[in-house]
Amino acid sequence: MIAIMTVHNLASELVTTVWTPIFVAIFLAIATYALWPRNKKAFDEAARMPLRED
């Protein structure tokens, strides 16, 4: 039982110290891309796409 708890603690520490900052960086990169002024025109066109009658 102690070995299982040790593996659990190791996995928990790994997630906290490694994966959390990686996912935060990925989120910030996506948010920056979505809010970058250069991409506004493309996102506005995509937002109007369902309303177009081709």
Side-chain angles (χ1 to χ4, degrees):
M1 185 70 177
I2 292 176
I4 293 173
M5 293 300 290
T6 303
V7 170
H8 180 281
N9 290 343
L10 179 64
S12 177
E13 289 293 323
L14 181 69
V15 167
T16 303
T17 58
V18 175
W19 291 109
T20 302
I22 289 173
F23 285 127
V24 168
I26 290 170
F27 172 79
L28 290 175
I30 292 170
T32 301
Y33 172 77
L35 297 174
W36 204 258
R38 184 183 68 193
N39 300 326
K40 181 173 178 21
K41 183 179 177 184
F43 284 121
D44 285 342
E45 287 178 16
R48 285 193 290 286
M49 198 178 299
L51 304 175
R52 284 194 303 209
E53 293 182 23
D54 291 333

